[in-house]
Amino acid sequence: DMMPIIVAAAVMDGMDRAQISQYVENILIPELESIEGVASVTAVGSIEEHIEVKLNSDKIDALNEKIKASLDETFAEASQEMEDAKNELASGREELEKGQQQLADSVGNAQNELNDKKMELMLTESDLNRQLTELKATKTQVEEGIEGLTQLLEGAAQLKEAIGGAEAMPPEMLEAMGINLEELRAQYALLEQQVAALGQEMGQEGLTIDSLPQVITDMNTNLAQINTGIAQMESALSAIGEGKTTINDALCKLNQSQILGSIQMGSAGA
C-alpha cells in the first residue's frame, strides 16, 4: 500500500475555511497531481457548505387552510354546476323541439325561452370560469407548498449528512477544522421542533422530518385531484360552449321561420 510522503496544512490570507477547501480541491490538488512523481493527492478536513432552510409556517398554514377549505367546496360546486349545465343543455334541446312543433303560434315564446336558457348558460359559464380561476390559484399554492417542503427536506438531509460526517471525525480534527458538532446537532433539533410545530398547525400531530416525504406525497395526491377538477371544469365549459352554439343556431332558425311565416302570411293576405 502506498503511504503519503507529505502531509501539509493549507492556510491562505483573505479566505475562510470554505473558500480554502474549494481552492485546495479545485486548484491546488490538480496542480500537485500534475507534478511528475506525485501519485495522488488527497484532501482531509475539507469543508462543504450546507443550506439551512427556515420554515415559513404562516405561508404553509395559510396554504393548507386554503386547500382544506377549497377542495371539497370547489369540487362539490363544480360537480353541481356541470350537472346543471347538462340539464340546461337537455332543456334547451327540448325547448328547441317544442318550438319547431309549435312554430306557428309560439315563435315568440320559444325565442324568449331560448334566450333565457342562453343567459343561464352564460351565468353558469361565468361561475365555472371563476371557480376554475380559484382552483388554478389553489394549484399554484399547492405546487409552491410542495416545492417549499421539498427544499426543507433536502436541507434537513444535508444537515443530517453533515452531522454524520462530523461524528465520524476525531475530536481533534473537528477542533482543527472549526466544526462544532453540538451546534450542528442543535440546528437539527431546532429544525425538528419547527417541523413539529408546523404539524400542530396543520392538524398533523407528531409530524417529523422523517414523515415529510409522506406529507409531500399526500400534497401530490391533492394536486392530482386538483388537476382532475380542472380538467372536469374545462370539459364542462366546452360543453357549455357547444350548448350556446346550439341555442344560437336555434334562434337563427326561429328568426328565419318567423320571417318566412311573415312572408307567407303577407302573400296569403295579398
Side-chain angles (χ1 to χ4, degrees), residues 231-251:
Q232 291 173 345
M233 288 185 182
E234 290 175 341
S235 176
L237 287 169
S238 177
I240 288 174
E242 293 174 0
K244 288 165 61 179
T245 299
T246 299
I247 290 175
N248 286 333
D249 290 344
L251 287 170

